[in-house]
Amino acid sequence: MNSLTPVRHLSPEGYKTHRTVPIQSSISIVGKGYPDKLVIFNLPASQFWWVRYYTAGRILKRSTKTQDKREAVEFAKRFYEDILLRERNLLPISASPTFERCARLLISEQEQLIVRGERNAKLNINDKQKLELDILPFFKGFNVKDVSYQHINAYLAKLSERNLKPATLKIHLNLLHKILILAQRENLVDRLPTMPKVKLQDSPRGWFSQDQYKQLRDK
């Protein structure tokens, strides 16, 4: 390098970003029978091969924990098949369970409102019960970004196995909606999933006969 060669100085942030950017010449598709979006690559910051796959508007990455390219390809195939299996069974596809954190934050914020007298104390009692017994056991491992209409609909179907009334299902939906709105406020999701509709059945009271009305009136 002579005195006329420019020297690029990176800030700590820029250096870190540079170290985690894939080495372009190392990017390789996994092979025939697999999508081109499934690739392995090297990083300046790691001695191992990494795998990357793009699905549902998100980039999923993982270290293969191997320096052998052939082993990395096999790891990538298993990684891809696991994603397909999870998507097929409506399971979370990432390991960042932000849904639970959003649910806990909602309860914490509601508790503050209760302390200030802005909400009824029963609010958190009822919501905590639904979270612990039903919602979190179903959604606990989810990244909040992964929650879709299909997941919520599957949750309702699971509740319906207990023959819960539509009004009760609606209450569960409302709590889920509050959690997702909080996630959107915290910039964890760009938009809310469409919520399934629960039709509430009208249960009008039967007409009283004149004798029944007179009896009721005279009580």
PDB file of all heavy atoms in Angstrom, residues 3-38:
ATOM      1  N   SER A   3       1.371   5.691  -0.257  1.00  0.00           N
ATOM      2  CA  SER A   3       0.819   6.796   0.524  1.00  0.00           C
ATOM      3  C   SER A   3      -0.474   7.351  -0.049  1.00  0.00           C
ATOM      4  O   SER A   3      -1.170   8.098   0.624  1.00  0.00           O
ATOM      5  CB  SER A   3       1.861   7.916   0.608  1.00  0.00           C
ATOM      6  OG  SER A   3       2.183   8.369  -0.701  1.00  0.00           O
ATOM      7  N   LEU A   4      -0.810   6.985  -1.299  1.00  0.00           N
ATOM      8  CA  LEU A   4      -2.033   7.509  -1.910  1.00  0.00           C
ATOM      9  C   LEU A   4      -3.229   6.586  -1.705  1.00  0.00           C
ATOM     10  O   LEU A   4      -4.338   6.914  -2.078  1.00  0.00           O
ATOM     11  CB  LEU A   4      -1.809   7.720  -3.425  1.00  0.00           C
ATOM     12  CG  LEU A   4      -0.740   8.738  -3.802  1.00  0.00           C
ATOM     13  CD1 LEU A   4      -0.617   8.820  -5.313  1.00  0.00           C
ATOM     14  CD2 LEU A   4      -1.088  10.110  -3.223  1.00  0.00           C
ATOM     15  N   THR A   5      -2.983   5.409  -1.140  1.00  0.00           N
ATOM     16  CA  THR A   5      -4.076   4.456  -0.924  1.00  0.00           C
ATOM     17  C   THR A   5      -4.914   4.895   0.270  1.00  0.00           C
ATOM     18  O   THR A   5      -4.383   5.068   1.372  1.00  0.00           O
ATOM     19  CB  THR A   5      -3.529   3.046  -0.651  1.00  0.00           C
ATOM     20  OG1 THR A   5      -2.694   2.672  -1.748  1.00  0.00           O
ATOM     21  CG2 THR A   5      -4.663   2.056  -0.494  1.00  0.00           C
ATOM     22  N   PRO A   6      -6.242   5.105   0.064  1.00  0.00           N
ATOM     23  CA  PRO A   6      -7.079   5.524   1.183  1.00  0.00           C
ATOM     24  C   PRO A   6      -7.214   4.411   2.209  1.00  0.00           C
ATOM     25  O   PRO A   6      -7.252   3.233   1.867  1.00  0.00           O
ATOM     26  CB  PRO A   6      -8.427   5.834   0.514  1.00  0.00           C
ATOM     27  CG  PRO A   6      -8.436   4.998  -0.720  1.00  0.00           C
ATOM     28  CD  PRO A   6      -7.009   4.944  -1.181  1.00  0.00           C
ATOM     29  N   VAL A   7      -7.268   4.779   3.455  1.00  0.00           N
ATOM     30  CA  VAL A   7      -7.440   3.817   4.541  1.00  0.00           C
ATOM     31  C   VAL A   7      -8.836   3.981   5.101  1.00  0.00           C
ATOM     32  O   VAL A   7      -9.238   5.089   5.464  1.00  0.00           O
ATOM     33  CB  VAL A   7      -6.396   4.039   5.662  1.00  0.00           C
ATOM     34  CG1 VAL A   7      -6.642   3.067   6.807  1.00  0.00           C
ATOM     35  CG2 VAL A   7      -4.985   3.883   5.106  1.00  0.00           C
ATOM     36  N   ARG A   8      -9.573   2.882   5.145  1.00  0.00           N
ATOM     37  CA  ARG A   8     -10.945   2.933   5.663  1.00  0.00           C
ATOM     38  C   ARG A   8     -10.934   2.661   7.156  1.00  0.00           C
ATOM     39  O   ARG A   8     -10.475   1.618   7.603  1.00  0.00           O
ATOM     40  CB  ARG A   8     -11.819   1.885   4.955  1.00  0.00           C
ATOM     41  CG  ARG A   8     -13.266   1.930   5.380  1.00  0.00           C
ATOM     42  CD  ARG A   8     -14.056   0.832   4.685  1.00  0.00           C
ATOM     43  NE  ARG A   8     -15.446   0.824   5.105  1.00  0.00           N
ATOM     44  CZ  ARG A   8     -16.313  -0.120   4.775  1.00  0.00           C
ATOM     45  NH1 ARG A   8     -15.912  -1.121   4.012  1.00  0.00           N
ATOM     46  NH2 ARG A   8     -17.553  -0.056   5.192  1.00  0.00           N
ATOM     47  N   HIS A   9     -11.403   3.641   7.911  1.00  0.00           N
ATOM     48  CA  HIS A   9     -11.477   3.483   9.362  1.00  0.00           C
ATOM     49  C   HIS A   9     -12.921   3.168   9.745  1.00  0.00           C
ATOM     50  O   HIS A   9     -13.837   3.899   9.381  1.00  0.00           O
ATOM     51  CB  HIS A   9     -11.019   4.758  10.073  1.00  0.00           C
ATOM     52  CG  HIS A   9      -9.572   5.063   9.823  1.00  0.00           C
ATOM     53  ND1 HIS A   9      -8.555   4.396  10.461  1.00  0.00           N
ATOM     54  CD2 HIS A   9      -8.983   5.960   8.989  1.00  0.00           C
ATOM     55  CE1 HIS A   9      -7.386   4.870  10.053  1.00  0.00           C
ATOM     56  NE2 HIS A   9      -7.618   5.822   9.146  1.00  0.00           N
ATOM     57  N   LEU A  10     -13.117   2.070  10.476  1.00  0.00           N
ATOM     58  CA  LEU A  10     -14.456   1.681  10.900  1.00  0.00           C
ATOM     59  C   LEU A  10     -14.651   2.016  12.373  1.00  0.00           C
ATOM     60  O   LEU A  10     -13.753   1.805  13.190  1.00  0.00           O
ATOM     61  CB  LEU A  10     -14.666   0.181  10.702  1.00  0.00           C
ATOM     62  CG  LEU A  10     -14.710  -0.335   9.256  1.00  0.00           C
ATOM     63  CD1 LEU A  10     -14.821  -1.848   9.263  1.00  0.00           C
ATOM     64  CD2 LEU A  10     -15.873   0.280   8.503  1.00  0.00           C
ATOM     65  N   SER A  11     -15.822   2.553  12.688  1.00  0.00           N
ATOM     66  CA  SER A  11     -16.186   2.747  14.090  1.00  0.00           C
ATOM     67  C   SER A  11     -16.415   1.376  14.706  1.00  0.00           C
ATOM     68  O   SER A  11     -16.563   0.384  13.992  1.00  0.00           O
ATOM     69  CB  SER A  11     -17.480   3.571  14.181  1.00  0.00           C
ATOM     70  OG  SER A  11     -18.557   2.834  13.647  1.00  0.00           O
ATOM     71  N   PRO A  12     -16.448   1.279  16.052  1.00  0.00           N
ATOM     72  CA  PRO A  12     -16.740  -0.024  16.665  1.00  0.00           C
ATOM     73  C   PRO A  12     -18.031  -0.625  16.138  1.00  0.00           C
ATOM     74  O   PRO A  12     -18.132  -1.825  15.918  1.00  0.00           O
ATOM     75  CB  PRO A  12     -16.834   0.315  18.162  1.00  0.00           C
ATOM     76  CG  PRO A  12     -15.957   1.514  18.318  1.00  0.00           C
ATOM     77  CD  PRO A  12     -16.128   2.302  17.043  1.00  0.00           C
ATOM     78  N   GLU A  13     -19.050   0.225  15.922  1.00  0.00           N
ATOM     79  CA  GLU A  13     -20.327  -0.267  15.416  1.00  0.00           C
ATOM     80  C   GLU A  13     -20.168  -0.764  13.982  1.00  0.00           C
ATOM     81  O   GLU A  13     -20.671  -1.829  13.606  1.00  0.00           O
ATOM     82  CB  GLU A  13     -21.401   0.824  15.473  1.00  0.00           C
ATOM     83  CG  GLU A  13     -21.804   1.250  16.874  1.00  0.00           C
ATOM     84  CD  GLU A  13     -20.795   2.177  17.525  1.00  0.00           C
ATOM     85  OE1 GLU A  13     -19.887   2.631  16.818  1.00  0.00           O
ATOM     86  OE2 GLU A  13     -20.916   2.427  18.736  1.00  0.00           O
ATOM     87  N   GLY A  14     -19.444   0.025  13.162  1.00  0.00           N
ATOM     88  CA  GLY A  14     -19.235  -0.377  11.782  1.00  0.00           C
ATOM     89  C   GLY A  14     -18.406  -1.646  11.677  1.00  0.00           C
ATOM     90  O   GLY A  14     -18.663  -2.504  10.830  1.00  0.00           O
ATOM     91  N   TYR A  15     -17.429  -1.782  12.551  1.00  0.00           N
ATOM     92  CA  TYR A  15     -16.590  -2.983  12.559  1.00  0.00           C
ATOM     93  C   TYR A  15     -17.414  -4.213  12.901  1.00  0.00           C
ATOM     94  O   TYR A  15     -17.307  -5.253  12.270  1.00  0.00           O
ATOM     95  CB  TYR A  15     -15.465  -2.803  13.566  1.00  0.00           C
ATOM     96  CG  TYR A  15     -14.528  -4.001  13.649  1.00  0.00           C
ATOM     97  CD1 TYR A  15     -13.604  -4.254  12.636  1.00  0.00           C
ATOM     98  CD2 TYR A  15     -14.586  -4.862  14.736  1.00  0.00           C
ATOM     99  CE1 TYR A  15     -12.756  -5.346  12.703  1.00  0.00           C
ATOM    100  CE2 TYR A  15     -13.741  -5.951  14.812  1.00  0.00           C
ATOM    101  CZ  TYR A  15     -12.827  -6.186  13.801  1.00  0.00           C
ATOM    102  OH  TYR A  15     -11.996  -7.260  13.874  1.00  0.00           O
ATOM    103  N   LYS A  16     -18.284  -4.064  13.890  1.00  0.00           N
ATOM    104  CA  LYS A  16     -19.132  -5.172  14.308  1.00  0.00           C
ATOM    105  C   LYS A  16     -20.059  -5.594  13.183  1.00  0.00           C
ATOM    106  O   LYS A  16     -20.247  -6.776  12.912  1.00  0.00           O
ATOM    107  CB  LYS A  16     -19.943  -4.769  15.552  1.00  0.00           C
ATOM    108  CG  LYS A  16     -20.815  -5.895  16.100  1.00  0.00           C
ATOM    109  CD  LYS A  16     -21.537  -5.442  17.353  1.00  0.00           C
ATOM    110  CE  LYS A  16     -22.404  -6.567  17.896  1.00  0.00           C
ATOM    111  NZ  LYS A  16     -23.132  -6.143  19.120  1.00  0.00           N
ATOM    112  N   THR A  17     -20.639  -4.593  12.492  1.00  0.00           N
ATOM    113  CA  THR A  17     -21.534  -4.899  11.380  1.00  0.00           C
ATOM    114  C   THR A  17     -20.774  -5.614  10.270  1.00  0.00           C
ATOM    115  O   THR A  17     -21.235  -6.606   9.717  1.00  0.00           O
ATOM    116  CB  THR A  17     -22.174  -3.603  10.835  1.00  0.00           C
ATOM    117  OG1 THR A  17     -22.912  -2.980  11.882  1.00  0.00           O
ATOM    118  CG2 THR A  17     -23.089  -3.899   9.667  1.00  0.00           C
ATOM    119  N   HIS A  18     -19.561  -5.103   9.960  1.00  0.00           N
ATOM    120  CA  HIS A  18     -18.739  -5.706   8.920  1.00  0.00           C
ATOM    121  C   HIS A  18     -18.414  -7.160   9.255  1.00  0.00           C
ATOM    122  O   HIS A  18     -18.419  -8.029   8.377  1.00  0.00           O
ATOM    123  CB  HIS A  18     -17.449  -4.899   8.764  1.00  0.00           C
ATOM    124  CG  HIS A  18     -16.467  -5.519   7.823  1.00  0.00           C
ATOM    125  ND1 HIS A  18     -16.670  -5.566   6.462  1.00  0.00           N
ATOM    126  CD2 HIS A  18     -15.268  -6.134   8.068  1.00  0.00           C
ATOM    127  CE1 HIS A  18     -15.641  -6.171   5.894  1.00  0.00           C
ATOM    128  NE2 HIS A  18     -14.779  -6.526   6.837  1.00  0.00           N
ATOM    129  N   ARG A  19     -18.172  -7.442  10.496  1.00  0.00           N
ATOM    130  CA  ARG A  19     -17.800  -8.790  10.923  1.00  0.00           C
ATOM    131  C   ARG A  19     -18.957  -9.772  10.828  1.00  0.00           C
ATOM    132  O   ARG A  19     -18.746 -10.979  10.798  1.00  0.00           O
ATOM    133  CB  ARG A  19     -17.300  -8.750  12.372  1.00  0.00           C
ATOM    134  CG  ARG A  19     -16.029  -7.933  12.569  1.00  0.00           C
ATOM    135  CD  ARG A  19     -14.804  -8.778  12.427  1.00  0.00           C
ATOM    136  NE  ARG A  19     -14.720  -9.787  13.484  1.00  0.00           N
ATOM    137  CZ  ARG A  19     -13.924 -10.852  13.418  1.00  0.00           C
ATOM    138  NH1 ARG A  19     -13.194 -11.063  12.346  1.00  0.00           N
ATOM    139  NH2 ARG A  19     -13.876 -11.714  14.413  1.00  0.00           N
ATOM    140  N   THR A  20     -20.199  -9.273  10.809  1.00  0.00           N
ATOM    141  CA  THR A  20     -21.359 -10.155  10.748  1.00  0.00           C
ATOM    142  C   THR A  20     -22.042 -10.152   9.382  1.00  0.00           C
ATOM    143  O   THR A  20     -23.122 -10.709   9.232  1.00  0.00           O
ATOM    144  CB  THR A  20     -22.388  -9.753  11.824  1.00  0.00           C
ATOM    145  OG1 THR A  20     -22.751  -8.380  11.635  1.00  0.00           O
ATOM    146  CG2 THR A  20     -21.822  -9.941  13.215  1.00  0.00           C
ATOM    147  N   VAL A  21     -21.390  -9.522   8.405  1.00  0.00           N
ATOM    148  CA  VAL A  21     -21.904  -9.542   7.036  1.00  0.00           C
ATOM    149  C   VAL A  21     -21.313 -10.761   6.320  1.00  0.00           C
ATOM    150  O   VAL A  21     -20.102 -10.989   6.375  1.00  0.00           O
ATOM    151  CB  VAL A  21     -21.514  -8.255   6.280  1.00  0.00           C
ATOM    152  CG1 VAL A  21     -21.869  -8.363   4.802  1.00  0.00           C
ATOM    153  CG2 VAL A  21     -22.221  -7.061   6.894  1.00  0.00           C
ATOM    154  N   PRO A  22     -22.161 -11.586   5.658  1.00  0.00           N
ATOM    155  CA  PRO A  22     -21.650 -12.772   4.974  1.00  0.00           C
ATOM    156  C   PRO A  22     -20.547 -12.432   3.963  1.00  0.00           C
ATOM    157  O   PRO A  22     -20.611 -11.408   3.282  1.00  0.00           O
ATOM    158  CB  PRO A  22     -22.876 -13.330   4.264  1.00  0.00           C
ATOM    159  CG  PRO A  22     -24.042 -12.840   5.067  1.00  0.00           C
ATOM    160  CD  PRO A  22     -23.636 -11.487   5.556  1.00  0.00           C
ATOM    161  N   ILE A  23     -19.542 -13.297   3.878  1.00  0.00           N
ATOM    162  CA  ILE A  23     -18.504 -13.161   2.861  1.00  0.00           C
ATOM    163  C   ILE A  23     -19.136 -13.562   1.529  1.00  0.00           C
ATOM    164  O   ILE A  23     -19.561 -14.718   1.357  1.00  0.00           O
ATOM    165  CB  ILE A  23     -17.302 -14.047   3.190  1.00  0.00           C
ATOM    166  CG1 ILE A  23     -16.680 -13.610   4.535  1.00  0.00           C
ATOM    167  CG2 ILE A  23     -16.267 -14.003   2.080  1.00  0.00           C
ATOM    168  CD1 ILE A  23     -15.606 -14.544   5.052  1.00  0.00           C
ATOM    169  N   GLN A  24     -19.243 -12.615   0.618  1.00  0.00           N
ATOM    170  CA  GLN A  24     -20.007 -12.815  -0.608  1.00  0.00           C
ATOM    171  C   GLN A  24     -19.544 -14.045  -1.390  1.00  0.00           C
ATOM    172  O   GLN A  24     -20.353 -14.820  -1.898  1.00  0.00           O
ATOM    173  CB  GLN A  24     -19.915 -11.559  -1.488  1.00  0.00           C
ATOM    174  CG  GLN A  24     -20.955 -11.485  -2.591  1.00  0.00           C
ATOM    175  CD  GLN A  24     -22.361 -11.313  -2.058  1.00  0.00           C
ATOM    176  OE1 GLN A  24     -22.556 -10.775  -0.975  1.00  0.00           O
ATOM    177  NE2 GLN A  24     -23.340 -11.794  -2.805  1.00  0.00           N
ATOM    178  N   SER A  25     -18.252 -14.237  -1.474  1.00  0.00           N
ATOM    179  CA  SER A  25     -17.721 -15.353  -2.266  1.00  0.00           C
ATOM    180  C   SER A  25     -18.008 -16.712  -1.637  1.00  0.00           C
ATOM    181  O   SER A  25     -17.857 -17.750  -2.296  1.00  0.00           O
ATOM    182  CB  SER A  25     -16.217 -15.179  -2.459  1.00  0.00           C
ATOM    183  OG  SER A  25     -15.551 -15.158  -1.198  1.00  0.00           O
ATOM    184  N   SER A  26     -18.408 -16.720  -0.366  1.00  0.00           N
ATOM    185  CA  SER A  26     -18.644 -17.992   0.324  1.00  0.00           C
ATOM    186  C   SER A  26     -20.094 -18.460   0.228  1.00  0.00           C
ATOM    187  O   SER A  26     -20.395 -19.614   0.542  1.00  0.00           O
ATOM    188  CB  SER A  26     -18.258 -17.864   1.805  1.00  0.00           C
ATOM    189  OG  SER A  26     -19.219 -17.062   2.502  1.00  0.00           O
ATOM    190  N   ILE A  27     -21.009 -17.590  -0.183  1.00  0.00           N
ATOM    191  CA  ILE A  27     -22.431 -17.921  -0.207  1.00  0.00           C
ATOM    192  C   ILE A  27     -22.696 -19.027  -1.228  1.00  0.00           C
ATOM    193  O   ILE A  27     -22.371 -18.898  -2.402  1.00  0.00           O
ATOM    194  CB  ILE A  27     -23.294 -16.682  -0.526  1.00  0.00           C
ATOM    195  CG1 ILE A  27     -23.083 -15.614   0.554  1.00  0.00           C
ATOM    196  CG2 ILE A  27     -24.761 -17.068  -0.625  1.00  0.00           C
ATOM    197  CD1 ILE A  27     -23.818 -14.320   0.277  1.00  0.00           C
ATOM    198  N   SER A  28     -23.292 -20.133  -0.746  1.00  0.00           N
ATOM    199  CA  SER A  28     -23.556 -21.289  -1.610  1.00  0.00           C
ATOM    200  C   SER A  28     -24.961 -21.807  -1.369  1.00  0.00           C
ATOM    201  O   SER A  28     -25.378 -21.972  -0.215  1.00  0.00           O
ATOM    202  CB  SER A  28     -22.557 -22.418  -1.319  1.00  0.00           C
ATOM    203  OG  SER A  28     -21.218 -21.963  -1.432  1.00  0.00           O
ATOM    204  N   ILE A  29     -25.700 -22.067  -2.461  1.00  0.00           N
ATOM    205  CA  ILE A  29     -27.019 -22.672  -2.298  1.00  0.00           C
ATOM    206  C   ILE A  29     -26.828 -24.123  -1.890  1.00  0.00           C
ATOM    207  O   ILE A  29     -25.808 -24.751  -2.209  1.00  0.00           O
ATOM    208  CB  ILE A  29     -27.863 -22.560  -3.583  1.00  0.00           C
ATOM    209  CG1 ILE A  29     -27.159 -23.271  -4.750  1.00  0.00           C
ATOM    210  CG2 ILE A  29     -28.141 -21.115  -3.927  1.00  0.00           C
ATOM    211  CD1 ILE A  29     -28.018 -23.327  -6.006  1.00  0.00           C
ATOM    212  N   VAL A  30     -27.828 -24.661  -1.191  1.00  0.00           N
ATOM    213  CA  VAL A  30     -27.679 -26.007  -0.635  1.00  0.00           C
ATOM    214  C   VAL A  30     -27.667 -27.064  -1.727  1.00  0.00           C
ATOM    215  O   VAL A  30     -26.905 -28.033  -1.658  1.00  0.00           O
ATOM    216  CB  VAL A  30     -28.796 -26.266   0.397  1.00  0.00           C
ATOM    217  CG1 VAL A  30     -28.863 -27.740   0.766  1.00  0.00           C
ATOM    218  CG2 VAL A  30     -28.541 -25.421   1.642  1.00  0.00           C
ATOM    219  N   GLY A  31     -28.508 -26.902  -2.750  1.00  0.00           N
ATOM    220  CA  GLY A  31     -28.461 -27.880  -3.833  1.00  0.00           C
ATOM    221  C   GLY A  31     -29.813 -28.203  -4.409  1.00  0.00           C
ATOM    222  O   GLY A  31     -30.842 -27.626  -4.029  1.00  0.00           O
ATOM    223  N   LYS A  32     -29.818 -29.134  -5.347  1.00  0.00           N
ATOM    224  CA  LYS A  32     -31.024 -29.523  -6.061  1.00  0.00           C
ATOM    225  C   LYS A  32     -32.085 -30.061  -5.103  1.00  0.00           C
ATOM    226  O   LYS A  32     -31.782 -30.828  -4.189  1.00  0.00           O
ATOM    227  CB  LYS A  32     -30.673 -30.594  -7.097  1.00  0.00           C
ATOM    228  CG  LYS A  32     -31.825 -30.950  -8.025  1.00  0.00           C
ATOM    229  CD  LYS A  32     -31.375 -31.946  -9.082  1.00  0.00           C
ATOM    230  CE  LYS A  32     -32.532 -32.299 -10.011  1.00  0.00           C
ATOM    231  NZ  LYS A  32     -32.120 -33.280 -11.056  1.00  0.00           N
ATOM    232  N   GLY A  33     -33.335 -29.641  -5.345  1.00  0.00           N
ATOM    233  CA  GLY A  33     -34.434 -30.082  -4.494  1.00  0.00           C
ATOM    234  C   GLY A  33     -34.695 -29.154  -3.329  1.00  0.00           C
ATOM    235  O   GLY A  33     -35.661 -29.349  -2.581  1.00  0.00           O
ATOM    236  N   TYR A  34     -33.857 -28.137  -3.155  1.00  0.00           N
ATOM    237  CA  TYR A  34     -34.016 -27.173  -2.077  1.00  0.00           C
ATOM    238  C   TYR A  34     -34.098 -25.762  -2.672  1.00  0.00           C
ATOM    239  O   TYR A  34     -33.502 -25.483  -3.722  1.00  0.00           O
ATOM    240  CB  TYR A  34     -32.856 -27.262  -1.085  1.00  0.00           C
ATOM    241  CG  TYR A  34     -32.865 -28.558  -0.314  1.00  0.00           C
ATOM    242  CD1 TYR A  34     -32.217 -29.682  -0.819  1.00  0.00           C
ATOM    243  CD2 TYR A  34     -33.537 -28.665   0.898  1.00  0.00           C
ATOM    244  CE1 TYR A  34     -32.234 -30.890  -0.133  1.00  0.00           C
ATOM    245  CE2 TYR A  34     -33.558 -29.863   1.593  1.00  0.00           C
ATOM    246  CZ  TYR A  34     -32.913 -30.971   1.076  1.00  0.00           C
ATOM    247  OH  TYR A  34     -32.945 -32.163   1.764  1.00  0.00           O
ATOM    248  N   PRO A  35     -34.831 -24.869  -2.013  1.00  0.00           N
ATOM    249  CA  PRO A  35     -35.005 -23.519  -2.574  1.00  0.00           C
ATOM    250  C   PRO A  35     -33.695 -22.732  -2.590  1.00  0.00           C
ATOM    251  O   PRO A  35     -32.811 -22.951  -1.750  1.00  0.00           O
ATOM    252  CB  PRO A  35     -36.026 -22.876  -1.630  1.00  0.00           C
ATOM    253  CG  PRO A  35     -35.918 -23.639  -0.357  1.00  0.00           C
ATOM    254  CD  PRO A  35     -35.575 -25.041  -0.746  1.00  0.00           C
ATOM    255  N   ASP A  36     -33.592 -21.827  -3.544  1.00  0.00           N
ATOM    256  CA  ASP A  36     -32.383 -20.994  -3.645  1.00  0.00           C
ATOM    257  C   ASP A  36     -32.217 -20.077  -2.441  1.00  0.00           C
ATOM    258  O   ASP A  36     -31.111 -19.576  -2.187  1.00  0.00           O
ATOM    259  CB  ASP A  36     -32.436 -20.144  -4.923  1.00  0.00           C
ATOM    260  CG  ASP A  36     -32.293 -20.985  -6.189  1.00  0.00           C
ATOM    261  OD1 ASP A  36     -31.880 -22.155  -6.068  1.00  0.00           O
ATOM    262  OD2 ASP A  36     -32.612 -20.472  -7.270  1.00  0.00           O
ATOM    263  N   LYS A  37     -33.314 -19.851  -1.702  1.00  0.00           N
ATOM    264  CA  LYS A  37     -33.249 -18.996  -0.518  1.00  0.00           C
ATOM    265  C   LYS A  37     -32.547 -19.687   0.658  1.00  0.00           C
ATOM    266  O   LYS A  37     -32.261 -19.053   1.674  1.00  0.00           O
ATOM    267  CB  LYS A  37     -34.652 -18.564  -0.096  1.00  0.00           C
ATOM    268  CG  LYS A  37     -35.357 -17.667  -1.107  1.00  0.00           C
ATOM    269  CD  LYS A  37     -36.771 -17.356  -0.667  1.00  0.00           C
ATOM    270  CE  LYS A  37     -37.505 -16.501  -1.689  1.00  0.00           C
ATOM    271  NZ  LYS A  37     -38.907 -16.229  -1.300  1.00  0.00           N
ATOM    272  N   LEU A  38     -32.319 -20.970   0.517  1.00  0.00           N
ATOM    273  CA  LEU A  38     -31.611 -21.721   1.560  1.00  0.00           C
ATOM    274  C   LEU A  38     -30.132 -21.775   1.177  1.00  0.00           C
ATOM    275  O   LEU A  38     -29.755 -22.435   0.204  1.00  0.00           O
ATOM    276  CB  LEU A  38     -32.182 -23.133   1.676  1.00  0.00           C
ATOM    277  CG  LEU A  38     -31.527 -24.039   2.722  1.00  0.00           C
ATOM    278  CD1 LEU A  38     -31.795 -23.536   4.130  1.00  0.00           C
ATOM    279  CD2 LEU A  38     -32.030 -25.480   2.551  1.00  0.00           C
TER     280      LEU A  38
END
